[in-house]
Amino acid sequence: MLHLVAVLLTLSRGLPSDMVFTLRAEVQPGSIELSSAAAISPDCAVALAVFPASCPISVETPEGIFQPESIVCSPDLGLHILFFGERIFDASQPPCEEAPGAGDKLTIVGQGLSGLLSIEGTATMRYPDGAILLTAPFLDGMMGAAVFDSENRLVGLITGILEVQDGPLGAGEEYLVLYPSQIWYMWAQLACDPGLGDAPPFGVTAMASISFDPDRPSGIQLVSVAEGSEAWRIGLRPGDLISAIDGHPVFHPETLRGLRILSCDTLETVVWSHGVERLVAIPPVVTR
Amino acid sequence: MTARIITEKPSAKDQRTDSRLLVDLCAGDEQAFSEIIRRFQAPVYSLLIRMLGNEEDARELLQVTFCRVYKYRDHFDPERKLVTWIFAIASNLAKKEWRRRTRWIQVPLDFVNLTSPGRTAPHYSAGRLELKASIEDAVDALPPHYREPFLLREHEQMSYEEIAEVLGVRIGTVKSRINRARAALRESLKDVWEEWK
Amino acid sequence: MNCARARKLISLVIDGAAGEHQKRLLDFHLMGCPSCRRAFRMSSDIARLSHELPDPTPPSDLESAVRHMLAAESARTAPAKRLRTPLLAIPAVAALMVLVMTLSPLPGGDSGRGQELRTVASASVTSKVVAERTGSKSRVRTTPLSAYSRQASLISF
């Protein structure tokens, strides 16, 4: 019965190729670069930040070419969100809150020179910074391509190629890198709804920290914590590394920032400090 | 701003205002419908042809537009102007027709070629004709959602408010699309204009 | 004021939608900017000529075509009525012919219901060939797949 519901949900979501659109960036006068934009709501799309936000860009839909009214970018996540001010996308998909697991079959839809390309890929392993490595053919136009899971949910964008020296398939294997929406869906949600962002400051300055050492986790490194701030009051200190929230590994400060504002419940976090692990509960933002 | 609504002047036979015509039509006056068709057929046809690019489709949608005017005459909001309502119907039909067609990939402006034949010595009147012919081509080459507000402004002389009503968008969007249409036309016509001016 | 803003004002001035203050600002900018002066003259000329673009003549039989379409649509939704009235309204001889005609299956009839009146014109649509797809690869390209790298900067919140 659940299987039937899942199938029906998948069918009602629309095809991946209906939600990916051509992005045109005039990177230099007279020189145009084509990339992909994935519609996340009827009036906005997400794209890989392969062009500066200041260069002229436009997105093409069956109804015409549109230029965004405004762009929100995160240099850290390497993503742009394009706002168009009016509903121009017939089909759209909010970024998924779940990340694909190893072995999952995924559909990659990207903008090639001769049109939209749709190829199949398989998720293999997780990179220490939270990215997921995929095996898939390397084709023109896969940079910035949108990736969908078997239920047609948008699970992220392709952000590059990675060569892994000791991969499960042998040495020197090259993979397509998927930066999963699980890490940034809340950043996107906050960007789309600026009213949500009015929250009292938590009081931290943080950065993403990657660890290749199996004894040390990756996570959100707190570089400074303001004295007397909420973070200070609940026991966080500079040098702390937040490695998991509510049982899921976290990799980027935007994840914490977003979850704190969007979540209604207390966030149970795992914090590492000087080789010692402890649990810290982060209360949700009260103002609603 | 000064705005003229281009409709044919009421003939000696029928001096009724646009809104009067629709009121009478709802009351059962078939002559009012004839007059509505007579007044608005030319500008609506002109827009449809420029949006769809061929006579056959424009003729078909022109008929459907007036059928809809008749069928939904009772649903017309008297606060609106009749002309923007009729244009909005035509515009929506044209938009649906766009969706039906195979996806067009717009040629970037760098590649729009506007060589007009017989461009020898610049002669004032000959130059004028050339620029006009080139303008038609250049306007046709505009992406449809820039072309439509541009035509409604320049050719039908509608105000920003009226265009916003017809297209169902905000006034700011109308202004910015018209601005972009003009920028695109300056780019594609600059060589011809240089010779002409 | 930069040229991008000036171009927006140019557009408003041409449409007669600019206020006095805006016009003065634009004049000031145009005094020192030859490229915007040129843009202003070009767009004014284009506007003037666009207004004079020829109007294609609409089909002369539009009204009868529209009324025909309306009649056909209402007839489709009420086939029963169509059967009865001719028998009452026409003299005896013609009535026999009508009787014969109505006994044979109605053309269109129920299979016509729900069918769109308009003919699909897809065959006559020409898709514009994109120059960028064939030649000129140097001008248009897709973003190349590059090595994965991630910027890490400090985020405060």
Side-chain angles (χ1 to χ4, degrees):
Chain A
M1 180 60 194
L2 273 173
H3 181 69
L4 179 67
V5 171
V7 167
L8 286 174
L9 271 175
T10 309
L11 289 174
S12 70
R13 270 196 199 106
L15 291 173
S17 47
D18 287 340
M19 297 183 275
V20 181
F21 302 88
T22 310
L23 181 81
R24 269 199 162 79
E26 196 177 354
V27 293
Q28 273 164 20
S31 173
I32 295 179
E33 210 162 82
L34 299 182
S35 184
S36 318
I40 57 176
S41 82
D43 61 351
C44 63
V46 67
L48 197 65
V50 287
F51 50 87
S54 54
C55 91
I57 63 164
S58 52
V59 167
E60 183 202 332
T61 74
E63 298 190 50
I65 299 183
F66 298 89
Q67 288 182 329
E69 278 188 354
S70 59
I71 301 178
V72 171
C73 43
S74 165
D76 268 5
L77 295 169
L79 298 173
H80 287 319
I81 293 191
L82 315 170
F83 294 93
F84 292 90
E86 45 178 306
R87 305 165 72 88
I88 63 170
F89 300 119
D90 280 353
S92 61
Q93 186 70 247
C96 185
E97 298 168 13
E98 290 176 40
D104 283 4
K105 291 269 180 280
L106 305 168
T107 309
I108 305 167
V109 183
Q111 179 58 48
L113 265 183
S114 44
L116 275 188
L117 296 176
S118 181
I119 63 175
E120 283 229 32
T122 312
T124 57
M125 54 187 171
R126 201 129 197 196
Y127 198 60
D129 74 338
I132 296 177
L133 305 183
L134 315 181
T135 49
F138 295 162
L139 293 176
D140 230 359
M142 289 298 109
M143 188 70 168
V147 183
F148 299 84
D149 66 6
S150 54
E151 290 170 33
N152 291 345
R153 297 181 296 184
L154 175 69
V155 291
L157 299 179
I158 299 287
T159 58
I161 304 179
L162 193 72
E163 192 188 40
V164 175
Q165 290 307 319
D166 299 321
L169 304 174
E173 288 296 320
E174 280 190 315
Y175 298 87
L176 278 182
V177 179
L178 162 71
Y179 203 59
S181 55
Q182 187 188 49
I183 297 179
W184 52 265
Y185 77 87
M186 56 296 276
W187 166 78
Q189 220 175 316
L190 287 177
C192 286
D193 195 347
L196 290 173
D198 286 350
F202 191 44
V204 301
T205 300
M207 60 183 283
S209 168
I210 306 176
S211 163
F212 292 88
D213 182 354
D215 295 335
R216 206 171 62 82
S218 300
I220 302 167
Q221 179 78 58
L222 299 185
V223 170
S224 77
V225 181
E227 269 188 66
S229 66
E230 192 191 335
W232 185 273
R233 282 198 304 271
I234 63 176
L236 292 172
R237 294 291 178 269
D240 281 351
L241 182 95
I242 300 174
S243 63
I245 297 180
D246 287 345
H248 296 287
V250 290
F251 306 94
H252 200 280
E254 288 288 356
T255 307
L256 174 60
R257 182 180 80 95
L259 281 178
R260 178 179 165 255
I261 296 175
L262 295 171
S263 167
C264 299
D265 296 333
T266 307
L267 304 172
E268 302 289 334
T269 67
V270 173
V271 181
W272 282 77
S273 173
H274 307 293
V276 176
E277 193 188 271
R278 69 186 195 279
L279 292 176
V280 174
I282 300 180
V285 168
V286 181
T287 53
R288 278 264 163 214
Chain B
M1 75 178 265
T2 54
R4 272 188 310 136
I5 302 161
I6 299 290
T7 60
E8 294 184 32
K9 287 207 182 87
S11 63
K13 288 190 267 179
D14 203 329
Q15 300 273 6
R16 288 179 278 185
T17 60
D18 292 349
S19 29
R20 180 84 234 156
L21 281 175
L22 199 75
V23 167
D24 290 348
L25 173 60
C26 292
D29 182 355
E30 290 297 321
Q31 267 308 303
F33 188 49
S34 308
E35 179 59 23
I36 287 175
I37 295 180
R38 211 186 58 80
R39 266 186 215 185
F40 296 103
Q41 60 180 338
V44 175
Y45 186 62
S46 170
L47 181 75
L48 285 175
I49 265 204
R50 293 219 155 83
M51 290 310 296
L52 299 170
N54 72 84
E55 280 187 21
E56 197 184 313
D57 289 343
R59 200 171 297 157
E60 179 102 39
L61 291 191
L62 185 66
Q63 280 179 31
V64 180
T65 302
F66 285 108
C67 276
R68 294 244 172 122
V69 167
Y70 189 88
K71 272 162 62 171
Y72 300 113
R73 61 195 185 279
D74 293 316
H75 298 269
F76 174 64
D77 176 6
E79 297 295 307
R80 294 182 73 172
K81 290 200 187 105
L82 182 60
V83 64
T84 52
W85 184 56
I86 296 181
F87 267 91
I89 294 175
S91 169
N92 283 328
L93 287 169
K95 220 181 282 184
K96 272 198 210 132
E97 172 60 22
W98 274 106
R99 290 199 200 117
R100 241 184 252 268
R101 289 181 181 178
T102 40
R103 254 180 91 177
W104 282 39
I105 304 186
Q106 298 289 337
V107 180
L109 290 168
D110 308 10
F111 302 102
V112 172
N113 267 324
L114 288 165
T115 48
S116 22
R119 213 156 37 133
T120 50
H123 184 257
Y124 185 75
S125 55
R128 197 152 235 257
L129 263 153
E130 269 167 26
L131 183 59
K132 250 201 197 168
S134 303
I135 287 178
E136 280 211 72
D137 286 336
V139 171
D140 283 342
L142 286 174
H145 73 292
Y146 288 169
R147 194 187 326 154
E148 208 173 359
F150 178 80
L151 286 171
L152 290 172
R153 174 82 270 283
E154 297 291 17
H155 196 58
E156 304 299 330
Q157 303 273 279
M158 284 193 180
S159 68
Y160 290 153
E161 290 79 15
E162 287 164 346
I163 299 174
E165 254 199 67
V166 169
L167 300 180
V169 299
R170 295 180 306 118
I171 290 186
T173 308
V174 172
K175 286 185 193 173
S176 101
R177 284 191 191 171
I178 291 178
N179 183 36
R180 291 194 180 128
R182 288 194 168 121
L185 288 174
R186 282 196 293 264
E187 189 56 37
S188 55
L189 290 169
K190 61 183 178 203
D191 295 329
V192 185
W193 184 77
E194 278 301 335
E195 272 211 34
W196 169 86
K197 71 172 170 133
Chain C
M1 170 169 57
N2 61 25
C3 290
R5 193 156 163 236
R7 304 288 162 106
K8 287 188 190 162
L9 284 183
I10 286 175
S11 198
L12 291 180
V13 167
I14 290 178
D15 293 332
E20 282 310 312
H21 177 61
Q22 290 171 312
K23 283 188 204 163
R24 274 198 295 274
L25 279 174
L26 180 63
D27 281 339
F28 190 70
H29 177 87
L30 291 182
M31 280 201 295
C33 182
S35 89
C36 281
R37 275 202 301 274
R38 190 164 164 270
F40 185 65
R41 282 203 309 271
M42 244 207 283
S43 283
S44 305
D45 289 338
I46 293 174
R48 211 174 54 246
L49 293 174
S50 301
H51 183 47
E52 297 167 17
L53 283 177
D55 258 333
T57 338
S60 50
D61 57 345
L62 179 63
E63 190 182 332
S64 60
V66 171
R67 292 199 185 273
H68 191 76
M69 201 183 247
L70 284 168
E73 278 188 24
S74 60
R76 255 185 334 147
T77 53
K81 273 195 206 158
R82 204 178 179 198
L83 274 173
R84 284 187 214 118
T85 43
L87 291 171
L88 292 169
I90 313 172
V93 172
L96 195 65
M97 279 172 48
V98 170
L99 195 63
V100 167
M101 274 161 50
T102 51
L103 283 177
S104 56
L106 277 171
D110 270 313
S111 59
R113 257 179 191 245
Q115 204 177 36
E116 283 261 272
L117 255 181
R118 45 195 315 289
T119 53
V120 179
S122 56
S124 60
V125 168
T126 51
S127 51
K128 282 194 179 163
V129 173
V130 181
E132 70 197 45
R133 306 297 190 243
T134 50
S136 322
K137 279 212 176 101
S138 56
R139 288 224 188 159
V140 179
R141 58 168 200 172
T142 54
T143 312
L145 270 171
S146 51
Y148 174 59
S149 66
R150 180 152 303 286
Q151 181 178 333
S153 48
L154 297 173
I155 297 174
S156 300
F157 56 96

